[in-house]
Each structure stands twice: as C-alpha cells, then as structure tokens.
Amino acid sequence: MTALEASGTGTGPATDAKASVAGSTPVTPAAYNPRRDRRRKWLEIVIFVGPALLLFLVFVIFPMIMAARYSLYKWDSRQPFELAEFIGFDNYTRALMGGTDPETKEIFWKAYAQPFWNAVGNNAQIIALSMLVQLPIAMIIALVLNRKFPGRSSVRLIIFAPYVLSEVVAGLMWLMLLDPRGPVTEMLAAIGISDPAGGWLEDPQAGFWTFFFIVSWKYIGLAIILFLAGLSGVPPELQEAASIDGASWWQVQWRINIPLIGPTVRVWAFLSIIGSIQLFDMAWVLNKGGSTGQYSTIATLMVDIGTQRNDGGYASALAIIMFIFSMVAAITYMTIVMRRDNGARAGKGA
Amino acid sequence: MANMRRLGAFAAFTTSAALLLAACSSGDGETTDPTDSPTNGEAEQSAEPVTLTWWHNAVAGDNGENALGDYWQTVADAYTAENPHVTIEIEQVQNEDLQRTRIPLALQSGDAPDLFQAWGGGELASQVESGYVQDLSETLADDIERLGGGVSPWQHEGSTYGLPFTFGVEGIWYRESLFEEAGITEEPATMDELNAAVQALKDADITPIAVGAADGWPAAHWWYNFALRSCSQDVMAAAGVDRDFSDPCWVQAGEQLEEFLGTEPFQDQFISTVAQTGATSSAGLVASGDAAMELMGQWNVFVYEGFTDGTDEGIAALQDDLGWFPMPATDGGNGDPSAALGGGDGFSCYVDAPPECADFLSFIVSDANQMEFTEATGALPVAPAAADAVTNPVLVELAQVAGNAEYVQLWLDTSFGTNVGGAMNDGIVSIFAGTGEAQDVVDLMTAAALTE
Amino acid sequence: MATAVKDDVKKRRSSQSRARTRLGGDSSIYVTIFVALIAVGLTLGPILFLGLGGFRTNGQIAEDPTGLPNPWVWQNYWDILTGSTFWEFTLNSAIISIATTAGVVLFGTMAAYPLARYSFRGREGVFLMFTAGLMFPLTVAIFPLFLLLQDLGLGGMWGLIIPQIAFALPVTVIIMRPFLAALPDELEEASFMDGLTRVGFFFRMVLPLARPGMVTVGVLAFLGSWNAYLLPLVMLTGRDAPTTLPLGVTQFQGQNAANFAGIMAYTFLAMIPALVFFLMMEKRIVDGLSGAVKG
C-alpha cells in the first residue's frame, strides 16, 4: 500500500525506529556530562512537546472535562452556570430512560428519551448501512476499476472529489436539487419514480434514506480510493499465478485481492464508524436533523438542545454519551479487529 | 458573573494595570472606551468617546435591497451627528441566527452588544431574570407612556426592559384573483367558511393554502391560532407565566389542527417546504399565484415583494391582488374570536451598556423617527402618532384589526421562551408530519417546562 | 539521504502500478468503462447541475427545473464575483486555514519528534493521550470550548485558529511519530559527530527530511479547517469575527431567499477552491487519510 510507505509506517522502517530509540543514548558523544545532558534532554523535550501539549490540554482536554461537569447540572437558561443546581446523573437518565421519577417518566420519555434513541438509532443505522451497502458497492467499483483503462486517473480523481467538499456546501447543493419541485424530483418523475409523500428529505420515513444517499454520495469515494490504494499493494505475481492456474476474475478477487486488502477495509470501516457516530454538519445544514428528526444524529440533537432550546446541561450529557460511544467503538475496534493487522508489524505503537 | 468572567479574561491577557482598571470601570471593557460617569445628569453626557454596538436583524433581502437596514444606518448617522462623541457599530444578522444563536451565546459569554434586537415575552423575561438586560422603566418613562400597550411584551413584573419599533398581528394573506377564479366572494370569517373556500379552490385546481412546515414555526402558527380560539385569555396568560398546560383547551387546539389537516388544505409536500427560500417556498407559491393563501405576520408583504421583478409596477400589481383577513373564528372554545396573535420587533440594552444606549433607543422610537421608519420601510410603527404614515392598504386593515382585537397575544413560542416554545413547535410539526398527536404537543411542553 | 528515501518510495510505487495494469482480460474493459462512467456521472452530475443552474434565471428554473440555461445568464456569477463578500469570505477562510495548517504542522512535528526519537519516562503516556484525542470531536466540547474562548478573550480569527490547531494535533502526532522514527539512525549519529545538538538536528535535518509527512498532515489540517462549520458558526458571536466560506454560503442563502439561481451560483463557486486544492494535492490527501489510522 503506497500510503504505508509514504507515511513511513512500513514494516522495515518501523523496526529501525525502535532500535533507534533504544540506541539513542550510547550514540551521544561521550564528551557530554551525563547529568547536564539529562537536564538538557528534559529541557528539549519540554520545548518540543510543550506547545502542542499545552494547546491540547487547554483546548481539547479541559473543555471535555468541563462538558462532563456541565452534564451533571440542571442548566437553567435564565441563570449563569455558576448558580446552576447539581443534579447528578439526572440528565443522563432523562436521555436514556425518561428520568427516574415515575410521575413524569411518560412525558419525559416522549420528550427526551424517544428523540435520543431515535438519533442513536439513526447513527447505528448509518453505521450498519455503511457496512452493508457502501462497503460492497465501493469494493465492487474498486475491483472493477483496478486495471488500466482510458482516463483512469481522471475517473479516480472525480470519484473522490465529493470527499473534499465541505458537508455544508454539499448539503446545500442536495437541498436545492431535492426540492419538491427541484431537478432531481422532476427527473426521477420523468422515469417513473415518484417522490415520497412528504418530499425527499422531510418525509418521516423516506427522509432517512435520502439522507443516507447524500452521505454515501459524499463519502463512498473515500472507500473506493482507499481500496484502490490497497489493491495497488497486492503483489501482482499472486494474481498472475492464479490467472495462469485458470482462476476466473471473480475467483482472483475473492481468493486473493479481497483478503489481501483486509487491513485497508478495516481501516476504512474504523474511519466510517467513528465518522458515523459524529455526523453533524450535513444533517444540520439540511434541516437540523429533519423536521421530525428523521435523520437526526446524536450531535444534531445535542446542538439543537444546546443552542435552540438553551438546555446546556442536557446537551452536555448528550455530548458525553456521544464521546463514550466513540470511545467504546474505537477501543473495541482497535483491540479486536486492528490488533490482528498490527501484530504483523513490529515496533508499531512502541 | 459575566463581569467576573470578562475580568478574568483581562487579567490573563493584559499585564497593564491601567487596562485592567479600565475594564472594571467601563463595564464593557473590550469595545467601550473608558467613560467618566456623567456629572450633570443625562442630558449633558460626557464628551468622552463612546462606542455603541448594535445588533439588528435587518439583512439585505431578496434583490440585495435592505430598506430597513439602510434606514437603521440613517438613524444611527443622525444620532451620531447630534452626539459626536458616540460611535455606533452596527452588525446585521439574519433573524434566526440572531435570535437563536448569536444573542443567547453573546449574553451568556458576557460579551454582548450594547443594543440588541429583542422580541419580548418569555425570552426577554429569562434574559431579565439572568440579569442581562437594563431596566429602562425610569430612564425612558416618557417613551413607554407614549408608545402605549404595544410595549407590554417588553415588560416583566412591572418593569420595562426594551421598546418595540414595530408591532403587528397575523392573519391570512390571499390572492384576490385566485379567490375570484374559485368563485369565493367573501373573506372567510369562520372555520366553516374557510373550509368551504379551501374546497372551492381545490375544485378550481388551485392549491388552497401554502405553509412552510420545514421551517417549523410557520406550521406552528396554525396551532397557535387554534389555541387562541380554544383557550380563554386567563388560561393563555397564566400559561405564559407558570407554564401550566393542563387545561384541556391545549389538547383541543391540536385536535382542531388535526381535523383541519384532515381536509388537506395545504400544498403537496408541505413538510418539505420552507417559508421564504426560493420560488417553491410557501411565500414563493403565493407570490407566484400557485397557492391562494398563507397564514403569516405583517412582514410577509415584504417577503412577497421580494419575489416580484422588483419594479414599481410589479410590486403594485402584487399589492393590488393581495388581500388579508384575520384568522377565522372556530366553533366553541373559550377564546375570544376577535383575539389576535401578534408580535413585534424591539430593542433592549445590555445591562452594562453605557447610558447612551437608552438615549439612542429613545431616539429610535421618537414620533418623528417612527414616522420616517414607516415611510422608509412601509412597516407598521408602534408610536400612535406615526400611524398615519402607513400607506399599504393591507397593513392599514391589519392595524385596524389589531386595534379592535379583544387582546393581542404575543407569539406563543416567544411568550413561552426558547425551551418550552421549541418543544411546542417540535410537537406541532410532528402533527403536520403525521407522526405525532395533539396530546404530544402538550406533553412535550410540560416536560420542557419541568426541566427549567 | 532525503532523495534516496524518496526515490526508493517512487521506484516501488511505479513498479507496482506497472505490474498491476497487466492484469484483466481485454473483453472486460467495457465493463470497467461502463462502471467508471456511471460512477463519474453520479458524482459529477449534481455538481455540474448546480453550476449550470447558476447560469439560469429564477424564471427559467421555476419554469423548467431540469432544463439547461437558455439563454445563458452570466449575471449571477458576475454579481457574486464582483461583490465583496465572496472574496472576503474566501480570503478569511484561506487565512484561517493556512494559519491553522502552519500551527498544526509546526507544533505537531515538534511534539512528535521527542515522542519518536527520545526515550524518556512518560513518553508512552503522552502519546496515548494524544491518541485518545482522536476520540474527542470538536462537536462534543463545543459549548465549554466556546465559553473558554470567551473567557480567554480569544475572538476573531484566533478564536478559530487556535482550537482548530489543538483539535488537529492528535492526528498529526500520530502520523508524524512513526514517520520521524523511520529516519535512519546513521543520520543522527553522523550529525552528532559533526557537533549538531538534537535541537539543531531537528531544524537542520528532521524538518527537511520529514517534508512528505508534514505535507500530508498539513493537507489534512487544511481541509479540516477549510470545511469547518460548527466552530465558526458558534464563534461568530465575536464582534469582529470573520465569516468563513461555509458560513458565508449559508448566510448568502438566508439573505437572498428568493434568488434560487444566485444561491446555486454561490454554492457552486464555494466548491471551487476546495476542488482546486484537491486537484493539486490529491495524492497527499489519500496518503494522509490512510496513514492517519495506520500509524
């Protein structure tokens, strides 16, 4: 895989890396005073790591901790936060199960837990559909395009282009194209596909699928390009040998190409899962997650509650829940799936 | 608390004690130069330069024209000409962003504009309770008296925290030619007549009513009006204060809406239709004559005009064909059939704003400026003395309806505040989408109120 | 040394692509071309349609949403390109993205250097913390971050640049660390023999040699910053806040409600800078994306 070599994570160099770290001390000229050397070393480390670490702690870690703190408070929009009332995990139970008070449970379920689980369901569906729909389609396209043909590099370039567009701009574009009397609606009507009763995006049922289509339009290029990059790393000798043995095109793909780009697929799947959990810009620009939340995500629900409804404590609880989902997904994925790939590469993450 | 925050910020970023002191004394350290407190009372303000920041919602409209924004600029220029020590920095922000994002965040951050758009009601009440807004009851007592009842949404517990510059009620805009085409001769005065009109229009192959349900609030206003007709004034007023929605009239409002939706009065795919963007928006449909009616506030005449070719003839032709009638009365219900929903735009001063803020606000709503405001923008003024300046016949009618109304109820979402109002609108949109019921709206509102 | 590394990479790449192209029967080339055409059509169609829509009038669009411009109207594009806001927003976005990129690359590479080539206690802990940063999307911390920036008085462009640098650091450190670790030891030895200190080594040798990696992370940071939406949306509260292009597009849409064709033109124009940048940097973007998670 070209990317591997370019970013220097290939098997060979990484092994060197470990050796270099371990062997760095003896390399230092003997003329150095060891104690002064050590102090100097720490000074250098602080100078090098310091700015980044400071920025990271102040602008990433600290706000995260504050979000966790806010999530434990009843955030009265009429009062500054300093006067807010500590309510423990009430914001969390409100989201997860409609609170703990039996008297208000029913209406809280309807008002808070239902939209929350609806959003979680949308996130989960997008993850599942990415694996079940985007992955096979991207794989087939990548396999078919993995050969020489006229205009190959232009085709690759074009397929990947939506990825670099901002979600805002792409979202606005589709909003216009999918207007009830817009071009897509008219064109599809011309070939006999009528739009859903509520319109493409706002129909309570169909809206989610339209949204998934738009997300796929924007992101499937990434999968295709990553897969193509992976395929370029498959040793051609293997494929040639199989062809000579009489294997059909499909057999070559099934037995050689697809298994060999497994690591690439897993990397893409990881990116896709994390991205799906954190999906925001696109859903927000289209219509803040949809008028009935048909394509709302945890993030849109959070920003909606936080900015439009002024309930910062509850919004923070949603933020933390989203973070926990991302973390669980990442850790699970890294320990179960990616470890297999990394095992082969000595020195990784040393 | 906001001051503490800002102070902390200054302490961290300036080592100069002088600057720090300036930040403490001026109250609005970052943008306002230190001002000595006026020694000779208000009339003779200190000549120390003062910068007023002013956020309003008059953004350039459809054809790049911004009549209101331009007018505000002339007002600011006129004021600074009279008061050379004052500089006014204007920021114009699109209404939704301004109301829902920019102002709330600015107030919470303690770095707010001196003079900012205020819509009154529950929203302003929460800002007041947070201590963000200046009490103008005494400084502007004369203006409050002069403007009369229109000020009440900007009042909270007997004190005044802002002044409106425009106020109007909402009703149903319609195209007279389409009514004629469908053989409708009278403006509907009851729901039965409205239903009959809807049917007549359908028979004539005309979309009866346009609604921009994708934006939420345009759909919600239908429910508001049903609620206004089914809830008594007392219930309505009490709900605005203690957020009690247990009266059955709130559920009835939703049921009436469901019943009305059952007659399919709205355009196809109304749930995907926005209110103002593009020819396929609800305003666009009415302006182009594709739909006959739309329930909207007084501002919509300007939105419709945006869809004309911008020429005087085009605008005149549209205005000629544009009619208006108040929301029809429903059967039964405890509401007064003449009550109307309305709202307006006003301005409030940030709590730390210099005294020039109130002075400038008073200047904005002076009789002379209200007159000019109406002449420049065509919109409805608040000052009674400026009423004669209204020329648009529909707005004249609208002003009369407002004047004759038993009472004018402020938009319910504004009245109930951001949180409950947002929950209410979400619930109403669900009824429109067919995914929610009348009871849900009340439940969502009750739940939201309980979290406050 | 640097060129040697690069050449090696280049050689391996080209040999692979040569070998690959020999595969596949000739009869199936039509299938490939067919699939390619469909994919290209689906990708490009909507964008072209948007661009063409900008060449129409609102009247044309209302009459026939699917039609082609007839006659072609240049007014929409002309108005936008001669108006000030489009260029102003583009310039704002460019300044913010470039500053973010510079900060990310500089601080990220600096941080990755000791993490890759020094051995010290707590090294893995620090690295792990940066890795964990991958799981903190800006969305999660947006409200506290906003309040923090207000407290610090960080408004305007800095209010966007500094948090964006901070949130882009994890990816950068993760990509740069193995990259720096892969630099040959002999180089370091030779430099120390020549009397270079580690700091000198970093500036004289590491920075030039790490250029490919730095370009990769820089490109990712640039794209992230250029396309950012939520932070600018929230941070706009500051008085002198510069509007970035994505926000400018939504603002234009809100302010020119009736002008559908104008919105199409504006949205299309807003795509162009990113697409041009992409054409220049395509290879680096792909490398960066796959490298990001590999590292």
Side-chain angles (χ1 to χ4, degrees), chain A residues 85-99:
Chain A
E85 179 192 343
F86 180 84
I87 54 168
F89 287 96
D90 278 9
N91 286 324
Y92 291 88
T93 57
R94 175 142 60 105
L96 297 172
M97 49 196 261

Side-chain angles (χ1 to χ4, degrees), chain C:
Chain C
M1 224 9 153
T3 46
V5 174
K6 257 190 254 165
D7 287 346
D8 186 36
V9 170
K10 240 184 244 165
K11 242 179 269 162
R12 264 190 273 175
R13 261 190 215 153
S14 61
S15 73
Q16 275 165 2
S17 61
R18 254 202 314 279
R20 191 178 57 248
T21 51
R22 267 187 264 128
L23 282 166
D26 279 332
S27 57
S28 61
I29 188 103
Y30 298 107
V31 178
T32 300
I33 291 174
F34 180 70
V35 170
L37 283 180
I38 289 187
V40 166
L42 278 175
T43 312
L44 220 49
I47 298 178
L48 284 180
F49 207 94
L50 186 77
L52 287 175
F55 285 110
R56 310 177 72 199
T57 62
N58 290 310
Q60 287 181 30
I61 292 175
E63 230 165 74
D64 176 16
T66 53
L68 290 172
N70 181 35
W72 287 67
V73 181
W74 295 88
Q75 197 62 36
N76 297 314
Y77 286 106
W78 180 252
D79 287 348
I80 295 165
L81 292 175
T82 52
S84 61
T85 61
F86 178 77
W87 296 110
E88 184 195 322
F89 298 161
T90 307
L91 185 69
N92 287 339
S93 272
I95 293 171
I96 290 168
S97 305
I98 289 169
T100 303
T101 308
V104 168
V105 171
L106 177 67
F107 295 133
T109 310
M110 276 167 62
Y113 176 60
L115 293 176
R117 302 196 75 94
Y118 284 44
S119 78
F120 60 93
R121 207 189 311 178
R123 190 185 65 170
E124 291 317 307
V126 171
F127 183 67
L128 198 69
M129 203 167 63
F130 277 118
T131 317
L134 269 189
M135 285 169 259
F136 301 155
L138 201 143
T139 326
V140 170
I142 190 70
F143 298 114
L145 183 64
F146 171 78
L147 293 175
L148 173 74
L149 291 169
Q150 291 290 335
D151 285 355
L152 296 178
L154 274 176
M157 292 204 179
W158 290 113
L160 298 177
I161 294 168
I162 291 178
Q164 283 178 358
I165 293 176
F167 276 89
L169 280 173
V171 173
T172 310
V173 171
I174 289 168
I175 295 180
M176 288 312 291
R177 188 199 197 203
F179 197 94
L180 297 180
L183 295 176
D185 287 336
E186 299 79 31
L187 203 64
E188 205 169 27
E189 285 164 35
S191 305
F192 290 159
M193 292 302 178
D194 291 347
L196 265 182
T197 60
R198 277 175 191 272
V199 178
F201 176 71
F202 177 78
F203 284 103
R204 295 264 191 85
M205 305 300 291
V206 173
L207 283 187
L209 283 179
R211 264 239 308 275
M214 289 162 69
V215 172
T216 295
V217 294
V219 161
L220 287 183
F222 186 89
L223 267 186
S225 170
W226 183 270
N227 289 336
Y229 176 58
L230 182 61
L231 187 67
L233 179 75
V234 170
M235 281 309 294
L236 252 180
T237 357
R239 289 197 181 107
D240 305 316
T243 303
T244 61
L245 202 49
L247 269 179
V249 178
T250 57
Q251 198 171 306
F252 184 87
Q253 185 215 24
Q255 295 179 2
N256 296 270
N259 187 3
F260 209 71
I263 299 172
M264 286 179 115
Y266 205 100
T267 312
F268 182 68
L269 284 176
M271 289 181 168
I272 289 178
L275 289 176
V276 169
F277 178 74
F278 163 65
L279 284 178
M280 286 161 22
M281 293 289 178
E282 185 247 351
K283 190 84 213 156
R284 285 289 154 203
I285 295 173
V286 178
D287 288 354
L289 287 167
S290 36
V293 181
K294 276 289 179 188

Side-chain angles (χ1 to χ4, degrees), chain B residues 98-411:
Chain B
L98 186 67
Q99 183 174 14
R100 297 270 173 256
T101 316
R102 303 281 309 272
I103 289 176
L105 286 172
L107 290 175
Q108 277 196 6
S109 72
D111 184 20
D114 298 311
L115 185 65
F116 58 91
Q117 190 106 13
W119 293 263
E123 201 171 77
L124 183 64
S126 18
Q127 290 168 358
V128 168
E129 282 172 24
S130 309
Y132 294 146
V133 195
Q134 225 171 71
D135 185 349
L136 305 171
S137 313
E138 284 178 21
T139 30
L140 299 183
D142 294 346
D143 295 299
I144 295 163
E145 207 189 311
R146 183 172 51 86
L147 296 178
V151 181
S152 65
W154 285 264
Q155 289 172 327
H156 179 63
E157 291 174 355
S159 298
T160 304
Y161 296 92
L163 292 180
F165 58 87
T166 182
F167 198 92
V169 295
E170 78 177 343
I172 295 176
W173 298 83
Y174 71 97
R175 299 296 300 255
E176 286 165 358
S177 57
L178 294 180
F179 267 37
E180 220 165 275
E181 205 181 316
I184 305 163
T185 48
E186 297 261 319
E187 290 178 347
T190 64
M191 277 310 286
D192 286 343
E193 287 174 26
L194 182 64
N195 288 334
V198 164
Q199 192 54 50
L201 286 160
K202 276 198 206 167
D203 291 344
D205 258 345
I206 299 165
T207 303
I209 309 177
V211 63
D215 284 343
W217 58 268
H221 278 232
W222 280 97
W223 187 92
Y224 299 174
N225 277 286
F226 285 121
L228 189 72
R229 296 278 178 261
S230 51
C231 296
S232 69
Q233 187 176 357
D234 290 345
V235 170
M236 203 49 113
V241 180
D242 54 26
R243 323 262 165 118
D244 175 9
F245 307 106
S246 57
D247 194 288
C249 70
W250 298 107
V251 179
Q252 275 162 23
E255 285 164 359
Q256 286 171 354
L257 175 62
E258 283 171 344
E259 199 183 313
F260 185 58
L261 277 165
T263 69
E264 300 188 354
F266 298 112
Q267 82 277 21
D268 286 345
Q269 304 193 342
F270 51 80
I271 199 74
S272 280
T273 304
V274 293
Q276 297 174 354
T277 306
T280 59
S281 64
S282 57
L285 291 175
V286 174
S288 61
D290 280 350
M293 294 182 261
E294 188 183 11
L295 172 68
M296 271 288 160
Q298 78 277 9
W299 61 81
N300 230 39
V301 64
F302 308 113
V303 181
Y304 294 140
E305 282 172 8
F307 287 97
T308 64
D309 52 11
T311 59
D312 288 346
E313 303 88 64
I315 291 174
L318 175 85
Q319 283 187 348
D320 220 33
D321 194 41
L322 214 48
W324 186 91
F325 58 92
M327 177 73 188
T330 57
D331 290 333
N334 300 321
D336 190 293
S338 78
L341 269 168
D345 293 326
F347 293 114
S348 291
C349 287
Y350 183 55
V351 65
D352 289 340
E356 282 81 358
C357 180
D359 192 52
F360 179 49
L361 180 53
S362 166
F363 181 76
I364 290 176
V365 298
S366 70
D367 284 346
N369 278 330
Q370 277 272 280
M371 203 105 84
E372 269 183 41
F373 160 76
T374 303
E375 277 160 13
T377 65
L380 286 176
V382 181
D388 291 343
V390 183
T391 52
N392 183 315
V394 170
L395 290 182
V396 172
E397 184 187 348
L398 196 143
Q400 280 166 0
V401 168
N404 297 334
E406 176 68 25
Y407 72 102
V408 175
Q409 168 64 42
L410 183 66
W411 313 127

